[in-house]
Amino acid sequence: MNRSKEKRINKLKKKRIWPSILGLIVILFIFVVVMTVALFASGMDIVQRKFTESSRKSLKVAELFEDYDSETGEKIEQTVLSHIDVLEEIDAISVIDADRNPVWSSSGEYPVIDETINIVFLTGITGEEINVILNEDTKQVFSVEAGEIIFNENILMKLFSVSNYDVTVPFEELKLWLVIPVNGFEVLVLNNVPIYHQDFLMMGICILLCILLISVFITYYLISIISMVFNVRKTKKIIYTDMVTGGDNWLLFTRKGASLLKKNGKGKQNYALVHLEMRKYRSFCTCFGVNKGQELIESFYAALRKEIQKNEVMSHQEDAKFGLLLVYTETEQLEARIQQLKNAMNAVLPGMKMYFGAGVYLVRHGEYDVEQLYNNAMIACEMLGEEAENKIAYFDVEMNKQKLWERKVEDDMDRALANREFQVYLQPKISTSEEVLGGAEALVRWIHPTEGFISPNRFIPIFEKNGFILKLDDYMLEEIAKVQAGWLAQGRKLVPISVNVSRAHFTREDLAEHICAIVDKYQVPHSAIELELTESAFFDDKKVLLNTVQKLRTAGFPVSMDDFGAGYSSLNSLKELQIDVLKIDADFFRGADVEERGLLIVSEVIDLAKKLNMKIVAEGIESREQVEFLIEQECDLIQGYFYSKPMPVEEFAQKYNM
């Protein structure tokens, strides 16, 4: 898998959850901090207001002593008792002189002011400084810093205590002594500041609302995280599920396979990648329908799944093709295992005979790229060919070289055609009557700029498989038409030159018109160009073939059948197909042990062709004895190395005075 595709898949399936969880934790932390700060700030504000109110009361008491004159000896009791309404709001009043000697106390108590007590100066109504003293009982209820009173956690704990939740009874009473300098005296006022639960009612309501709000938010957030978890799992399932079988798909196969190979790093087990496919699956779909074909694939998958062991993996690849990573001990045991898998697949439709091919790559130590290794197994299976049924092929280096060559040919073929790298060679056909030139066959040779001369058997099969042979045939036909037109313009005598027409052409019904258009462009007589078709073309659309041949013969083109005798329906094709020339396959003249039988068959074929008014061409002739035999049998033309190898057009024209 390429990196960009893998990156996109990983991004899709790895939607990370931890950022959401971390975000939730951060939000909860911020909420706790904010609520704590808000709680203390609100509590501090409430107590601060209570304290401010007590300070006002204390200042009113201090105002009673503004007119007090110690010289006159006025009794302090009288001064205080004359304002009894103020005194009722105060727990105690004490007066000391400038030297801090007791003067008078309503309760007989005089608080001690020493250096250990934290004092802050506040400005009172009179403009004088007011000393605020900490609670003398606990000295922990308040601490005073820079003129601000900070709410103490002891009060907070009591606020939320349920043991004393009577709204009529304060849950805390703060004892505050205030020292107020007046007329050379220091008036000490003891304030009793009661704090009730109801003082914090609004703050409590706000806290509850905030808790409710954050609870809703957290619930929503948790639901989102849970939903994300399920979505990630669902996404992974979709990514890793094959849409036909419902099982593991190819992506998961490659990942699991790579994981197994890496775990087997020390090579304790032998692994083999197997490409297993049903032959002619498309034909099955044509006969029974695509839906039945998919049902068959599902059944195959289920049958194979039962045979797979714990430390093995498998997956559907495409069509009726499956990839397997199998454990094996010896190759014989592996082949028996593959045959067992084929038998399991055959058992899906017991009444129908099915054929399977298998390509195998034996994984070596340190190889983990499952896709590349599996591709090797596919190459091995392709090398079996369509005709090989129920066979097993092992990948080797030569197969890879062949695939690389095919790739190079396909990369270069269009450029080669445009640059005229395909050269026309002519092999003469010699008349047996006078042993003079009676015709020629056009053959293609590829002169590659880097590879040099490339034999046709190295590129023609590739072109036939990928369809490029159609372009090459048209190119060869046009080149021969040009050559014939040139010779005609020079006043030379023309001999028929045969050009191959591949079976792939006979899929088009206007083939005859197409050939006429190419040749007529150069105004060459149709009789000067012979069209060769192979016997295998007869196995395709017979109706189109017969119709096209009839049109070509009507247009004046001689039509010949190449490689007669190479197939299995030769006589039947002669019965239905009207042709002008019959070319006897060279295999009849090869092999010492069958020479006598072969020559007997050739003799009978020549006799049969004569009766059907056909000319006979024997190709592949390499000895004088064969020539003498063909002359004796009254064969019309001989083609082979005995007379000449294929040669370039210029050399051919010079040799035969064309």
Side-chain angles (χ1 to χ4, degrees):
M1 183 190 305
N2 61 61
R3 291 183 179 179
S4 61
K5 181 180 178 182
E6 186 172 12
K7 186 176 180 180
R8 290 196 301 271
I9 291 175
N10 288 338
K11 185 177 180 181
L12 180 63
K13 71 183 183 63
K14 288 186 177 179
K15 189 174 183 181
R16 303 188 182 276
I17 300 171
W18 66 262
S20 300
I21 297 176
L22 182 61
L24 180 60
I25 294 173
V26 170
I27 291 171
L28 286 174
F29 175 76
I30 293 173
F31 173 74
V32 170
V33 171
V34 171
M35 287 298 296
T36 302
V37 172
L39 182 63
F40 274 96
S42 300
M44 183 185 69
D45 181 64
I46 292 170
V47 176
Q48 179 70 47
R49 284 188 278 106
K50 290 251 180 193
F51 171 75
T52 302
E53 183 63 27
S54 297
S55 299
R56 291 197 184 103
K57 294 178 182 179
S58 299
L59 289 174
K60 288 183 180 180
V61 172
E63 290 174 356
L64 301 177
F65 296 93
E66 288 182 354
D67 297 330
Y68 175 74
D69 187 359
S70 59
E71 302 264 341
T72 60
E74 182 181 354
K75 296 289 186 178
I76 292 179
E77 288 92 343
Q78 296 175 353
T79 302
V80 174
L81 292 174
S82 64
H83 296 81
I84 191 65
D85 55 331
V86 176
L87 185 59
E88 288 177 353
E89 299 177 1
I90 303 300
D91 277 9
I93 301 173
S94 298
V95 180
I96 58 177
D97 60 17
D99 297 326
R100 296 194 174 179
N101 296 316
V103 176
W104 175 82
S105 174
S106 63
S107 61
E109 297 180 7
Y110 294 90
V112 178
I113 304 174
D114 55 31
E115 298 300 327
T116 63
I117 298 177
N118 189 6
I119 299 176
V120 173
F121 299 98
L122 301 177
T123 302
I125 297 176
T126 60
E128 299 178 77
E129 290 183 335
I130 303 174
N131 299 324
V132 181
I133 306 175
L134 294 179
N135 181 279
E136 199 174 76
D137 294 332
T138 64
K139 294 188 173 60
Q140 294 298 319
V141 175
F142 290 106
S143 63
V144 180
E145 294 181 2
E148 295 183 1
I149 299 176
I150 301 176
F151 194 37
N152 187 276
E153 63 271 13
N154 292 337
I155 297 178
L156 181 64
M157 296 302 296
K158 291 180 180 180
L159 170 63
F160 292 104
S161 173
V162 296
S163 60
N164 181 24
Y165 208 76
D166 188 352
V167 295
T168 62
V169 178
F171 69 86
E172 181 64 80
E173 291 184 336
L174 304 179
K175 304 293 185 177
L176 299 175
W177 282 97
L178 270 72
V179 182
I180 307 168
V182 179
N183 288 338
F185 295 97
E186 289 186 346
V187 180
L188 288 76
V189 182
L190 177 59
N191 288 270
N192 181 21
V193 183
I195 300 178
Y196 297 89
H197 285 98
Q198 60 189 12
D199 294 332
F200 295 89
L201 180 61
M202 289 305 298
M203 184 180 75
I205 293 173
C206 291
I207 292 173
L208 289 176
L209 289 175
C210 289
I211 292 174
L212 179 62
L213 181 62
I214 197 66
S215 298
V216 172
F217 176 77
I218 291 173
T219 302
Y220 172 78
Y221 216 86
L222 288 174
I223 292 174
S224 299
I225 293 175
I226 294 171
S227 176
M228 188 185 301
V229 171
F230 280 105
N231 285 336
V232 168
R233 290 182 179 178
K234 185 177 180 180
T235 302
K236 284 185 177 181
K237 188 171 181 63
I238 292 173
I239 291 174
Y240 290 135
T241 299
D242 181 71
M243 294 297 102
V244 177
T245 64
D248 295 347
N249 67 0
W250 189 247
L251 176 61
L252 189 56
F253 172 80
T254 57
R255 291 180 178 250
K256 283 185 176 180
S259 177
L260 284 176
L261 294 179
K262 289 177 182 178
K263 287 180 181 178
N264 190 44
K266 296 183 179 179
K268 293 182 179 180
Q269 293 179 315
N270 296 324
Y271 276 100
L273 269 163
V274 179
H275 170 78
L276 186 59
E277 67 175 46
M278 173 190 174
R279 298 291 189 178
K280 301 178 180 178
Y281 168 73
R282 289 295 176 186
S283 298
F284 179 90
C285 292
T286 302
C287 296
F288 302 101
V290 176
N291 290 337
K292 285 292 183 182
Q294 292 193 345
E295 290 176 8
L296 182 64
I297 292 174
E298 291 182 56
S299 300
F300 282 161
Y301 181 84
L304 292 173
R305 191 72 216 165
K306 293 178 181 178
E307 303 292 333
I308 297 302
Q309 301 172 5
K310 184 178 180 181
N311 55 347
E312 299 175 336
V313 290
M314 68 152 291
S315 173
H316 170 238
Q317 197 216 19
E318 62 175 357
D319 291 341
K321 301 175 182 179
F322 299 88
L324 305 97
L325 182 62
L326 304 179
V327 177
Y328 73 98
T329 52
E330 301 292 339
T331 54
E332 292 79 6
Q333 177 263 337
L334 177 61
E335 290 177 7
R337 181 89 185 281
I338 294 174
Q339 187 58 49
Q340 181 182 349
L341 295 174
K342 291 181 179 180
N343 293 339
M345 296 172 75
N346 249 322
V348 170
L349 292 176
M352 179 180 294
K353 183 63 177 176
M354 292 181 288
Y355 298 94
F356 302 93
V360 180
Y361 180 82
L362 302 178
V363 182
R364 293 175 292 184
H365 177 66
E367 293 181 326
Y368 308 124
D369 190 345
V370 174
E371 286 202 76
Q372 180 58 47
L373 303 181
Y374 181 78
N375 187 64
N376 294 340
M378 290 182 65
I379 290 174
C381 190
E382 286 179 14
M383 292 301 179
L384 286 172
E386 286 294 330
E387 305 304 323
E389 296 173 334
N390 287 339
K391 301 291 184 180
I392 299 175
Y394 290 87
F395 175 84
D396 58 32
V397 178
E398 290 303 317
M399 290 180 179
N400 195 43
K401 288 181 179 178
Q402 177 61 25
K403 278 296 175 183
L404 290 174
W405 172 250
E406 288 182 11
R407 182 71 267 165
K408 179 173 179 56
V409 167
E410 290 181 344
D411 288 342
D412 294 349
M413 59 190 186
D414 286 306
R415 189 212 68 243
L417 190 65
N419 294 343
R420 304 180 65 81
E421 294 174 16
F422 297 109
Q423 298 292 315
V424 177
Y425 275 53
L426 296 176
Q427 187 174 28
K429 298 176 184 178
I430 304 300
S431 173
T432 57
S433 58
E434 300 177 1
E435 293 194 56
V436 296
L437 181 68
E441 180 180 4
L443 301 169
V444 64
R445 298 292 184 265
W446 189 353
I447 313 301
H448 196 280
T450 58
E451 299 292 330
F453 181 87
I454 302 176
S455 177
N457 61 2
R458 296 188 65 199
F459 62 86
I460 292 295
I462 299 174
F463 291 169
E464 288 177 340
K465 186 162 55 175
N466 64 25
F468 188 76
I469 193 68
L470 300 176
K471 292 183 179 180
L472 184 60
D473 282 356
D474 286 351
Y475 171 84
M476 291 293 292
L477 178 62
E478 187 161 359
E479 288 297 300
I480 292 301
K482 286 182 185 178
V483 169
Q484 295 278 47
W487 289 345
L488 193 62
Q490 296 170 15
R492 297 183 180 185
K493 181 182 177 181
L494 301 183
V495 294
I497 299 179
S498 60
V499 181
N500 285 293
V501 181
S502 302
R503 62 187 291 185
H505 284 284
F506 290 95
T507 57
R508 55 186 300 176
E509 296 184 359
D510 64 337
L511 177 60
E513 292 79 2
H514 175 71
I515 291 174
C516 288
I518 293 175
V519 175
D520 291 346
K521 187 165 55 174
Y522 298 94
Q523 298 181 349
V524 174
H526 293 179
S527 59
I529 296 180
E530 181 182 310
L531 302 174
E532 282 190 11
L533 56 93
T534 60
E535 184 186 356
S536 59
F538 191 75
F539 304 138
D540 295 325
D541 193 329
K542 189 185 301 183
K543 182 179 179 181
V544 173
L545 174 65
L546 296 175
N547 185 47
T548 301
V549 169
Q550 180 60 40
K551 287 182 180 179
L552 291 171
R553 294 184 75 238
T554 302
F557 290 101
V559 178
S560 64
M561 179 183 289
D562 194 13
D563 300 330
F564 181 81
Y568 299 96
S569 302
S570 300
L571 293 178
N572 187 50
S573 59
L574 286 180
K575 181 187 73 172
E576 299 189 47
L577 190 62
Q578 293 186 4
I579 55 176
D580 302 290
V581 182
L582 191 68
K583 293 187 72 173
I584 301 175
D585 189 71
D587 285 344
F588 284 110
F589 303 97
R590 294 172 185 162
D593 54 340
V594 295
E595 182 174 346
E596 185 176 346
R597 293 169 61 88
L599 295 180
L600 178 61
I601 294 173
V602 169
S603 176
E604 295 299 325
V605 169
I606 293 174
D607 184 58
L608 176 63
K610 292 290 184 181
K611 292 177 179 179
L612 294 174
N613 296 320
M614 298 179 186
K615 283 187 177 182
I616 301 296
V617 178
E619 57 182 345
I621 305 305
E622 299 177 353
S623 67
R624 185 66 197 180
E625 291 79 8
Q626 292 173 342
V627 171
E628 294 295 339
F629 169 77
L630 292 171
I631 292 175
E632 182 182 344
Q633 299 299 319
E634 298 182 355
C635 179
D636 296 296
L637 297 170
I638 297 175
Q639 177 183 344
Y641 281 9
F642 177 77
Y643 287 111
S644 176
K645 293 181 179 181
M647 63 189 78
V649 173
E650 295 78 7
E651 183 180 339
F652 178 89
Q654 184 178 1
K655 182 176 181 179
Y656 293 101
N657 297 318
M658 295 299 298

